[in-house]
Amino acid sequence: AAATAVRAQDMMRIVAIVNEDVVSAFDLEARVAMAIYSTNLPNTPEMRSRLVRAVLRNLVDEILQVQEALRQGVRVRDTEIVRAMEEIEANIGAPPGGLGDHLAQVGIPLSAVESQVRAQIVWGKFVNQRLRPTLDVSDEEINAELERLEASRGMPEYLLSEIDLHPDASATDRALMAR
C-alpha cells in the first residue's frame, strides 16, 4: 500500500507549468506511451527515458497553442471530439466503443488521447479562422512559383531530413551514433 501511495504521489508530481496550466508526471508518461505506441518503438525504460525531453517540449508547445486559440475565442464542440475519437477507433481497428479498452491494453489513458485530439482540433480551427484569412497569395505569386518549378524541371532535387539525438550526459559520440 505504501508503494502504491508513493507511485501515485510521483505521478501527480508537477513536471512543467505553462502559464496557468500544469503538466503532471502522469500527463508526460501518458504522452510518452502514446509516442511509443504510435511509432512502434520498443517500450523499454531506455526508450521512454530518451523520449521524455522531446515529448515534454511538444506537450508544452501544444498547451501554448491551445491557450492562444482559447484566448482568441476558438472553441471545440464535444461532437467534434467524438467524431475524431471514432476515426481513431476505426483507424486502429478497435470495435465501435472499444477505443478506451484498446488503449488501456497498451497502457494509454483515454483522457490523454482525448486531450491531444482536442488540442489538434482547436489549433486547426485557430489556424483556419484566424491565420488563413490573413494570407493573401496573388495570382502573380502563384504563376511565378509555377514558372520557377517548370524552369527547374529535370534538375537534381534533394530530400533533406533531420534526426535529433538527445544524449544523456554520460553518452559518448561513438555510443550515440551506435544507437
Side-chain angles (χ1 to χ4, degrees):
T4 302
V6 169
R7 174 79 174 139
Q9 273 185 323
D10 185 51
M11 293 303 288
M12 297 315 297
R13 180 176 49 87
I14 295 172
V15 296
I17 298 174
V18 185
N19 296 321
E20 66 276 1
D21 291 327
V22 171
V23 178
S24 70
F26 176 80
D27 299 327
L28 181 57
E29 189 169 306
R31 289 302 182 94
V32 168
M34 288 170 57
I36 287 172
Y37 175 73
S38 65
T39 57
N40 292 319
L41 291 170
N43 190 1
T44 63
E46 179 186 276
M47 182 57 67
R48 294 175 87 79
S49 176
R50 289 173 56 191
L51 290 174
V52 165
R53 257 192 295 175
V55 169
L56 180 59
R57 187 174 49 246
N58 287 340
L59 185 54
V60 168
D61 288 347
E62 179 183 291
I63 291 168
L64 289 169
Q65 289 172 339
V66 168
Q67 288 174 350
E68 180 58 20
L70 294 176
R71 190 178 72 73
Q72 295 291 326
V74 178
R75 300 290 180 256
V76 177
R77 294 185 313 275
D78 289 340
T79 56
E80 293 172 293
I81 303 297
V82 169
R83 191 174 19 246
M85 298 294 275
E86 287 171 348
E87 285 181 33
I88 293 170
E89 195 172 69
N91 288 341
I92 64 172
L99 182 59
D101 291 339
H102 178 80
L103 293 172
Q105 289 175 1
V106 294
I108 300 172
L110 183 61
S111 61
V113 175
E114 185 176 318
S115 171
Q116 186 176 45
V117 164
R118 184 177 301 279
Q120 289 172 343
I121 292 172
V122 77
W123 185 248
K125 288 175 86 171
F126 173 77
V127 168
N128 282 329
Q129 292 174 5
R130 305 284 190 217
L131 300 180
R132 282 226 170 104
T134 65
L135 300 177
D136 187 20
V137 181
S138 69
D139 289 341
E140 293 80 27
E141 290 172 303
I142 292 170
N143 291 334
E145 181 63 14
L146 290 172
E147 288 173 13
R148 186 193 68 77
L149 289 171
E150 186 60 38
S152 66
R153 184 185 303 259
M155 298 184 71
E157 294 182 26
Y158 302 94
L159 173 63
L160 301 177
S161 298
E162 179 178 343
I163 299 174
D164 291 324
L165 301 174
H166 301 280
D168 55 25
S170 65
T172 64
D173 288 344
R174 179 165 293 179
L176 183 61
M177 297 307 285
R179 291 182 182 173

